[in-house]
Amino acid sequence: MAQSLPKYTTFILFLFSFLLKTQSHKYSEKLSPKSLGFKTEKLTHLHFYLHDIIGGDHPTAVLVAQPPKFNTSNSVFGATFVIDDPLTMGPDQSSKIVGRAQGMYTFASLNEFRLLMVMDFVFVKGKYNGSTLSIIGLNYVPSPVREMPIVSGSGIFRFARGYALANTHFINMTSGNAVVEYNVFVLHY
Ligand SMILES: *[C@@H]1O[C@H](CO)[C@@H](O)[C@H](O)[C@H]1NC(C)=O
Ligand SMILES: *[C@@H]1O[C@H](CO)[C@@H](O)[C@H](O)[C@H]1NC(C)=O
Ligand SMILES: *[C@@H]1O[C@H](CO)[C@@H](O)[C@H](O)[C@H]1NC(C)=O
């Protein structure tokens, strides 16, 4: 009994020091949005063109995964592209770059031309330089206008939410290269 006492004491001391430590490291606290500079929420409209370049010497979209039957049937279900597509102010590829769309899309429907888009718009122009918007959603390509959710963002777009409307401006059916017009409506601080 006398021998086990010091051990027991050590344990108590350890417990106390542990409790003290957890008290000095605050795990969570309530803050007002204003304390971090988030004052009034505003709505911003962004308009640009995305260039998805599959063919040629400098593709910005590359096929990284393909289903087993990719070359034996019409099904492209499961095919996945990784993209680093330029975003420009005008529809012309030589027009001013405002950012890039980085991420991936997957053919996510067995029977339809429906893509699951998982990408960030990374902006480089003006006050948006370095800020990002994150898009996750289905893109039913044959539809004239496709809506995808903006799920959040970073930088100027912290706490962002909104939606992106995409419509194909131009598509080359031979190469697959496409220019897609985006109208993005986003609430942020
Ligand atoms: C698809 O093509 C590749 C290379 O051309 C070949 O190795 C593979 O066996 C083909 N797959 C099927 C399912 O035919
Ligand atoms: C954007 O930010 C980067 C890194 O801070 C900087 O190098 C670049 O010059 C900026 N571009 C513009 C257009 O402001
Ligand atoms: C479409 O792509 C093909 C193959 O890359 C190319 O030869 C042709 O010039 C393109 N057409 C247009 C209108 O860009």
Side-chain angles (χ1 to χ4, degrees):
M1 203 53 192
Q3 268 174 343
S4 68
L5 199 63
K7 268 187 198 162
Y8 187 65
T9 318
T10 315
F11 176 71
I12 297 279
L13 283 174
F14 171 76
L15 200 68
F16 266 112
S17 66
F18 179 75
L19 286 174
L20 280 173
K21 260 186 201 160
T22 48
Q23 272 177 355
S24 61
H25 292 101
K26 209 186 295 174
Y27 175 55
S28 75
E29 59 181 326
K30 297 272 185 294
L31 295 176
S32 76
K34 280 196 178 100
S35 71
L36 289 181
F38 300 113
K39 291 186 188 103
T40 44
E41 206 171 30
K42 50 185 171 283
L43 179 62
T44 298
H45 171 214
L46 299 163
H47 176 246
F48 49 81
Y49 294 83
L50 176 150
H51 302 262
D52 197 46
I53 306 153
I54 295 168
D57 293 336
H58 304 287
T60 63
V62 293
L63 181 67
V64 294
Q66 49 184 293
K69 290 179 179 168
F70 193 69
N71 45 3
T72 57
S73 77
N74 290 328
S75 176
V76 289
F77 176 59
T80 300
F81 285 78
V82 169
I83 61 168
D84 183 356
D85 288 343
L87 308 172
T88 59
M89 271 179 79
D92 202 276
Q93 215 187 309
S94 62
S95 120
K96 196 167 176 60
I97 299 247
V98 298
R100 305 194 75 86
Q102 297 177 333
M104 57 183 76
Y105 56 77
T106 296
F107 288 75
S109 166
L110 276 169
N111 306 310
E112 295 174 318
F113 190 0
R114 199 184 293 274
L115 306 173
L116 171 64
M117 314 291 294
V118 181
M119 62 182 173
D120 263 25
F121 291 145
V122 185
F123 297 99
V124 296
K125 194 172 152 46
K127 64 175 173 175
Y128 302 112
N129 187 16
S131 295
T132 65
L133 284 174
S134 301
I135 290 93
I136 300 180
L138 286 168
N139 179 359
Y140 178 59
V141 179
S143 173
V145 180
R146 289 90 69 184
E147 179 174 337
M148 285 161 268
I150 306 286
V151 293
S152 198
S154 71
I156 231 174
F157 294 123
R158 284 175 176 173
F159 287 129
R161 59 207 163 94
Y163 58 96
L165 300 177
N167 64 284
T168 306
H169 177 77
F170 167 79
I171 185 159
N172 183 328
M173 295 312 260
T174 315
S175 62
N177 293 352
V179 181
V180 183
E181 182 180 17
Y182 270 86
N183 277 289
V184 173
F185 299 89
V186 62
L187 281 169
H188 63 105
Y189 286 95

